[in-house]
Amino acid sequence: MSPVSPWYVLLIALVAAERLAELVVARRNARWSLGRGGVMYGRGHYPWMVALHTGLLAGCLLEVWLADRPFVPGLGWPMLGLVLAAQGLRWWCVTTLGPQWNTQVIVVPGLPLVRRGPYRFGWLRHPNYVAVAVEGAALPLVHSAWLTALVFTLLNVPLMAVRLRCENAALATAATGSAAPGAGAETAA
């Protein structure tokens, strides 16, 4: 077992700091949304998302350290580029949605859907989840942690299916202006 390169530890630490910044923004935006009658949906899957994303960061470091994964420039540099592009897309989504963006599904009834920024492309309804998928595969591969990339991706697919079903139902409910049965409570998602 060789030590993990300091620059990779720094990269993972920066991504972790970015996640903490997301949580600060999400908490502020949740107060804004709930203060305007926002309804929270799908709280049951949220702890699993937190666990998966935390596991991604830990897995990146642990696999590189325990399995002695090398940095392969031909793989690592393009993957780093994808990680940076995913961060750019994520924050484009965050800034475009403004106070309506959140890590949880909170919909303020009566607000129109955002149709600018990355949301102007009708064929890509959830660009932030593209950023999540790309980052989840690319971040471990920066340092050849292929097992972490594979496990994250395999676990993320069913979790995103649940999340998308929940979010689409919540947005559809908000668009019709009707309250969903049990709105604000745990949903099946």
Side-chain angles (χ1 to χ4, degrees):
M1 288 186 287
S2 64
V4 181
S5 7
W7 67 268
Y8 190 61
V9 172
L10 176 62
L11 175 63
I12 301 302
L14 289 172
V15 172
E18 185 276 331
R19 289 290 190 279
L20 293 174
E22 278 185 31
L23 292 176
V24 168
V25 171
R27 196 166 291 141
R28 182 190 67 219
N29 290 349
R31 282 192 303 271
W32 182 91
S33 294
L34 296 173
R36 286 162 178 73
V39 179
M40 191 176 293
Y41 296 85
R43 287 184 266 184
H45 71 267
Y46 187 72
W48 294 103
M49 288 181 63
V50 171
L52 182 61
H53 285 258
T54 302
L56 171 66
L57 299 178
C60 285
L61 296 175
L62 287 172
E63 183 178 351
V64 169
W65 180 56
L66 295 173
D68 199 21
R69 301 287 192 227
F71 175 75
V72 178
L75 176 65
W77 291 119
M79 292 301 108
L80 180 60
L82 285 175
V83 168
L84 296 174
Q87 292 299 327
L89 177 57
R90 172 179 286 117
W91 284 97
W92 188 18
C93 293
V94 171
T95 57
T96 299
L97 290 176
Q100 290 177 263
W101 178 86
N102 211 296
T103 57
Q104 298 189 64
V105 179
I106 305 174
V107 178
V108 179
L111 288 182
L113 290 177
V114 173
R115 300 206 187 276
R116 62 184 188 286
Y119 297 94
R120 71 179 175 261
F121 308 112
W123 53 270
L124 184 61
R125 286 194 62 192
H126 303 282
N128 189 60
Y129 300 142
V130 172
V132 168
V134 169
E135 182 189 66
L139 184 60
L141 291 176
V142 167
H143 216 294
S144 303
W146 62 268
L147 187 58
T148 300
L150 179 64
V151 168
F152 176 87
T153 300
L154 290 175
L155 293 175
N156 191 47
V157 167
L159 187 56
M160 279 296 101
V162 168
R163 176 66 171 226
L164 287 169
R165 195 168 45 249
C166 171
E167 192 165 314
N168 287 335
L171 290 171
T173 299
T176 63
S178 63
E186 293 287 324
T187 65

